[in-house]
């Protein structure tokens, strides 16, 4: 059974840092690109970042570019999102999502999400 | 960045109704569009990809159409479990974007 499970969310002060993780299982993790998608409370979905299967290529939304870094460790089947200089508007549930296939970046498996709250 | 505009933002419908949701892209995206269903407190679930391909396990009452800038998601006969919020997402290029969502409520 394919599973992606996020962890590491929590409360952080504005300007602080946090790293969230996503563990994949039940599929060949190193074969698929992965993304982070977030959802602020009561709001819609916002794509945050994507990393290719090898980790060589990364992409970011303008709203997080220069502050967030996506990475992966294929030996540990784990995806990461390092978030620095956090702002109140970064408060959201952060979902890890698996790219469905070899072409087109859309997502067939999502985790349950991890809540990041930025507040003093 | 490509903007996706969904309409309506919400609708009320009855079980058995035919429901159509529209997603308009700010520029042409060929058929690079996916649709998701999200229920409260849950992660999104993929319904349709490449505008009209039905994801495995998704009921056949869901269908998608369109190309270029105008797309639709149709539920042919609304079921109780279909009351949810629906999002479109383009994957023509980066940055990826989602539509604002369409909430489908019980009438």
């Amino acid at each position: 059974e394919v599973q992606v499970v996020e962890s590491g969310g929590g409360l952080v002060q504005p300007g602080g840092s946090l790293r969230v993780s996503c563990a994949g299982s039940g599929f060949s993790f190193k074969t698929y690109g992965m993304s982070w998608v977030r959802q602020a409370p009561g709001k819609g979905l916002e794509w945050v970042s994507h990393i290719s299967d090898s980790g060589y290529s990364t992409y970011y939304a303008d709203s997080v570019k220069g502050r967030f870094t996506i990475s992966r460790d294929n030996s540990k089947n784990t995806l990461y999102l390092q978030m620095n200089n956090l702002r109140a508007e970064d408060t959201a549930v952060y979902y890890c999502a698996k790219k469905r296939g070899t072409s087109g970046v859309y997502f067939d498996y999502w985790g349950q999400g991890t809540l990041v709250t930025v507040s003093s | 960045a490509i903007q996706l505009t969904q309409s309506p933002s919400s609708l009320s419908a009855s079980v058995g109704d035919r429901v159509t949701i529209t997603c308009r892209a700010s520029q042409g995206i060929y058929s690079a569009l996916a649709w998701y269903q999200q229920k409260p407190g849950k992660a999104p679930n993929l319904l349709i990809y490449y505008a009209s391909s039905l994801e495995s396990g998704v009921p056949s009452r869901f269908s998608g159409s369109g190309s270029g800038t105008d797309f639709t998601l149709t539920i042919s006969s609304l079921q109780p479990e279909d009351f949810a919020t629906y999002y479109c997402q383009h994957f023509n290029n980066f940055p990826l974007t989602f539509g604002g969502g369409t909430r489908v409520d019980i009438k």
Side-chain angles (χ1 to χ4, degrees), chain A residues 39 100 103 105-107 111, chain B residues 36 38 43 49-50 55 89 91:
Chain A
Q39 188 167 35
R100 184 185 183 276
S103 65
V105 182
Y106 54 95
F107 311 109
Chain B
Y36 301 88
Q38 187 181 34
Y49 58 95
Y50 280 110
E55 173 67 345
Q89 176 231 322
F91 49 93

Side-chain angles (χ1 to χ4, degrees), chain A:
Chain A
E1 178 191 7
V2 172
Q3 283 195 312
V4 288
V5 179
E6 303 93 340
S7 60
L11 175 64
V12 61
Q13 292 188 338
S17 297
L18 194 67
R19 187 179 81 163
V20 292
S21 303
C22 168
S25 61
F27 65 103
S28 178
F29 185 82
K30 64 182 180 181
T31 303
Y32 293 92
M34 301 289 293
S35 270
W36 289 98
V37 176
R38 68 185 181 183
Q39 188 167 35
K43 303 297 184 182
L45 301 170
E46 180 188 15
W47 171 78
V48 172
S49 183
H50 183 79
I51 188 166
S52 62
D53 51 3
S54 65
Y56 183 79
S57 298
T58 59
Y59 308 88
Y60 297 94
D62 285 346
S63 58
V64 306
K65 201 172 294 183
R67 300 188 299 123
F68 290 11
T69 302
I70 191 171
S71 63
R72 64 191 297 162
D73 185 338
N74 285 342
S75 69
K76 296 182 178 179
N77 291 349
T78 302
L79 173 73
Y80 303 101
L81 185 67
Q82 176 68 44
M83 301 180 287
N84 296 332
N85 192 19
L86 282 159
R87 306 166 180 168
E89 55 264 35
D90 296 318
T91 294
V93 172
Y94 284 74
Y95 293 104
C96 162
K98 170 189 165 291
K99 179 183 171 185
R100 184 185 183 276
T102 56
S103 65
V105 182
Y106 54 95
F107 311 109
D108 57 353
Y109 287 94
W110 299 62
Q112 82 288 350
T114 189
L115 177 62
V116 173
T117 303
V118 184
S119 175
S120 55

Side-chain angles (χ1 to χ4, degrees), chain B residues 22-79:
Chain B
T22 297
C23 179
R24 175 164 290 175
S26 59
Q27 59 186 266
I29 58 170
Y30 304 97
S31 296
L33 190 93
W35 289 97
Y36 301 88
Q37 176 193 68
Q38 187 181 34
K39 296 181 178 180
K42 301 294 187 181
N45 182 49
L46 177 65
L47 300 174
I48 301 285
Y49 58 95
Y50 280 110
S52 61
S53 294
L54 190 68
E55 173 67 345
S56 176
V58 174
S60 59
R61 62 181 178 274
F62 291 91
S63 64
S65 65
S67 67
T69 59
D70 294 312
F71 302 85
T72 59
L73 173 71
T74 300
I75 309 172
S76 61
S77 178
L78 198 67
Q79 298 301 299

